[in-house]
Amino acid sequence: MALSTLLSLLALLPAALAIKPRCFEFDHPVHVSLTVPTFNVPKFSNSYESTAFLTASVSRNANLSSLVTGEVKIDRAFKIHFQYCEPEKCTRAPDVLQVLSHGVGFDRSYWNFGDSEYNYIASTTGHGYATLSYDRLGVGFSEQADPYSEIQVPTQVAILAEVSKLLQHGKLHKRISKPKKLVHVGHSFGSLITNGLVAASPSLSDGVVLTGFSQNTSWTPLFELCLGFELARTNNPARFHGYDSGYLTWGNEYDNQCAFYTYPFFDTHVLKQAERIKAPFAISELLSFASVPLAAPNFTGPVLMLSGQSDLPFCGGDCTGVLEGPASVSPFVFPSAQPFVSYIQPNTGHALNLHYNASAAYEVIHGFLKEHVH
């Protein structure tokens, strides 16, 4: 049976009965040393200024590369918050560990959102895998670094690389055994980081799953217009009062819907909950989108790229012909992947895990990894 046919059949099957995962959380300092670009962006005093910056940055004459004024060295450790999970009745460490990187607007809870229908970690541990999710730098319980300079795509890639090295040597945490195989799973911005990881350090991963993503970023201005650039600390003072002005967020649940969801294929209660727990994003993350190479000619592991049919930021609202076919650039990014497979999840927007049929997408991922990562 062809792999594409198998994946299509898997998408129609009900999710495997989720076994309650056994989890623990911890903090770990992650030291990175790298050079990142500096941006000529005056610190925002209020949301009028940040919104004006958004308007200017998506205008037809915008030239974001002109904002780069030089570069600066980062050589320090950042506190990163992790959650490790494995099957509840696991008698030995699972052979395969999945490292989960979330996207903009979320923290690590994106991977274990609510009940089993939207809980990727429960579904994954139910299939016998271990998972390591984490709050990206600047998000959740991880360190709030400088959102105008330190929190950039290259920094996030460097953090993921160092974490992967520690895992490969069994040195991230005494309760996490050295895995036989390390798989990296990303969503959106987390997929960008994951792609950047294997482009720079292909030996750090045995398999890659990129969700809510393509290498075509020409539609990201649409996404940014939905998000808006409100100062997080004024949008939600109760939660974000201590955040620097470089941490931004969107206005309300309808902006959230515009960026992440496709109506009517989601539960509005899920949207409301996602709005209640939304995470801010750093201005320098968005400005550094093109700061890391994505071409990964030396990565020979399996790659699955899976996005929702109506993904806005990476497909312009329709992934047909973007993830597959002559217009797809992914095969050129991963020319040596064995194999490279793309899959479009129907009736789904950008927030893949938070639509009605999320569990069907999980089964596609599990089927792909069962076949190609042993």
Side-chain angles (χ1 to χ4, degrees):
M1 180 182 295
L3 178 61
S4 58
T5 303
L6 174 62
L7 292 175
S8 298
L9 291 174
L10 283 168
L12 300 176
L13 295 175
L17 181 62
I19 301 172
K20 181 181 178 182
R22 181 172 61 205
C23 305
F24 67 89
E25 299 180 32
F26 62 98
D27 293 328
H28 193 284
V30 179
H31 187 274
V32 295
S33 180
L34 72 157
T35 300
V36 297
T38 54
F39 302 105
N40 181 24
V41 179
K43 288 198 171 186
F44 304 132
S45 299
N46 51 56
S47 293
Y48 297 107
E49 293 179 359
S50 56
T51 299
F53 180 84
L54 168 62
T55 304
S57 68
V58 300
S59 70
R60 67 185 180 93
N61 296 319
N63 180 12
L64 294 181
S65 62
S66 66
L67 296 175
V68 178
T69 58
E71 55 185 27
V72 64
K73 178 81 169 181
I74 296 177
D75 188 359
R76 56 166 291 198
F78 296 102
K79 185 198 78 171
I80 303 298
H81 186 77
F82 298 90
Q83 182 183 54
Y84 174 83
C85 296
E86 60 186 17
E88 184 179 30
K89 297 181 180 180
C90 188
T91 57
R92 65 176 182 86
D95 291 339
V96 179
L97 172 59
Q98 295 187 24
V99 182
L100 314 178
S101 300
H102 64 82
V104 164
F106 297 97
D107 59 18
R108 60 182 172 78
S109 66
Y110 174 80
W111 300 108
N112 60 345
F113 191 97
D115 59 27
S116 59
E117 185 176 0
Y118 308 105
N119 194 317
Y120 180 79
I121 290 177
S123 177
T124 300
T125 55
H127 280 266
Y129 298 101
T131 65
L132 181 77
S133 57
Y134 65 102
D135 291 329
R136 285 189 294 99
L137 179 65
V139 177
F141 293 110
S142 289
E143 184 172 339
Q144 290 182 30
D146 189 332
Y148 290 99
S149 61
E150 293 179 317
I151 308 178
Q152 298 192 31
V153 178
T155 315
Q156 303 283 15
V157 171
I159 288 171
L160 181 57
E162 184 61 26
V163 169
S164 301
K165 292 174 186 175
L166 291 170
L167 288 169
Q168 284 187 337
H169 291 89
K171 293 183 177 180
L172 182 66
H173 193 280
K174 62 183 180 181
R175 292 173 60 185
I176 301 177
S177 301
K178 178 181 176 180
K180 292 183 179 179
K181 298 285 186 177
L182 198 59
V183 170
H184 292 81
V185 183
H187 173 255
S188 187
F189 190 82
S191 291
L192 176 67
I193 295 166
T194 299
N195 192 157
L197 170 76
V198 295
S201 305
S203 64
L204 293 180
S205 185
D206 297 295
V208 168
V209 178
L210 306 174
T211 72
F213 184 66
S214 77
Q215 284 82 20
N216 190 331
T217 59
S218 60
W219 299 288
T220 52
L222 299 175
F223 182 69
E224 292 176 2
L225 285 171
C226 285
L227 291 182
F229 278 15
E230 291 189 31
L231 269 60
R233 66 190 186 191
T234 55
N235 173 266
N236 193 328
R239 293 188 60 213
F240 305 133
H241 65 277
Y243 282 67
D244 186 282
S245 65
Y247 287 96
L248 308 173
T249 191
W250 54 84
N252 54 47
E253 68 178 283
Y254 304 107
D255 300 326
N256 195 336
Q257 176 187 338
C258 177
F260 293 100
Y261 297 81
T262 297
Y263 188 82
F265 304 113
F266 64 90
D267 187 332
T268 56
H269 295 291
V270 169
L271 170 59
K272 292 179 184 298
Q273 174 62 11
E275 178 65 18
R276 283 192 291 270
I277 64 173
K278 67 182 180 182
F281 51 91
I283 182 62
S284 56
E285 284 183 308
L286 301 184
L287 293 176
S288 62
F289 238 61
S291 296
V292 296
L294 297 183
N298 297 320
F299 184 71
T300 58
V303 176
L304 171 64
M305 182 172 290
L306 189 156
S307 292
Q309 173 68 52
S310 302
D311 188 286
L312 180 64
F314 291 104
C315 293
D318 184 0
C319 282
T320 303
V322 177
L323 254 62
E324 33 72 35
S328 174
V329 300
S330 300
F332 302 100
V333 174
F334 295 105
S336 305
Q338 294 295 326
F340 173 83
V341 175
S342 61
Y343 181 84
I344 298 174
Q345 180 69 12
N347 300 332
T348 302
H350 185 53
L352 190 82
N353 287 14
L354 305 185
H355 285 73
Y356 284 129
N357 59 359
S359 59
Y362 300 164
E363 293 304 305
V364 173
I365 295 171
H366 301 328
F368 178 84
L369 294 178
K370 291 286 186 185
E371 182 172 354
H372 297 293
V373 180
H374 308 290

